[in-house]
Amino acid sequence: QVQLVESGGGSVQAGGSLRLSCVVSGYSRSSNCMGWFRQAPGKEPEGVAVIYTGGGSTYYADSVTGRFTISQDNAKNTVYLQMNSLKPEDTAMYHCAAFVCDGASDLEGARFGYWGQGTQVTVSS
């Protein structure tokens, strides 16, 4: 029932910016966290940013703190990931997920949640 569709990925040079969007349909109150995760070839999946929809608190991976911002637009049922000062190491497939959490820093529930198809971000130097 829950569907997530990401968009906004692409190729950009280092130092550039991208804004990813995730449109959610069938969102449930039980899915009280929305997050962005990424996976690069040969690397483990990484939680990038999470927003606790109940209270608006956020979590960011150390590697993106100060550069990325997660936000939501309830009227459009959309969550965003604004990515600034992009680095080549940000290159990955970015996935949006809706899941149950016990705060923005609680990412464990993501493995049981709903995931989008992903959007590719490629940063060149």
Side-chain angles (χ1 to χ4, degrees):
Q1 184 175 1
V2 177
Q3 302 288 332
L4 297 84
V5 180
E6 303 101 328
S7 63
S11 298
V12 65
Q13 294 187 22
S17 298
L18 287 172
R19 188 178 74 162
L20 307 184
S21 299
C22 175
V23 179
V24 182
S25 62
Y27 189 73
S28 173
R29 290 182 180 179
S30 62
S31 297
N32 57 345
C33 270
M34 295 291 301
W36 290 93
F37 298 76
R38 67 186 182 187
Q39 186 169 23
K43 298 182 65 177
E44 298 179 357
E46 176 186 21
V48 177
V50 176
I51 184 166
Y52 174 58
T53 59
S57 60
T58 57
Y59 160 86
Y60 296 97
D62 290 342
S63 59
V64 307
T65 295
R67 300 188 297 120
F68 291 9
T69 303
I70 187 171
S71 62
Q72 62 182 354
D73 185 337
N74 291 331
K76 296 182 178 180
N77 295 319
T78 303
V79 296
Y80 303 95
L81 185 67
Q82 179 66 46
M83 305 185 295
N84 298 325
S85 302
L86 283 163
K87 304 175 180 179
E89 50 263 45
D90 295 319
T91 296
M93 181 70 72
Y94 284 71
H95 296 267
C96 179
F99 56 100
V100 176
C101 71
D102 189 26
S105 62
D106 179 20
L107 280 59
E108 292 300 315
R111 68 182 189 271
F112 304 115
Y114 297 91
W115 291 69
Q117 83 290 342
T119 184
Q120 178 68 38
V121 171
T122 302
V123 184
S124 60
S125 60

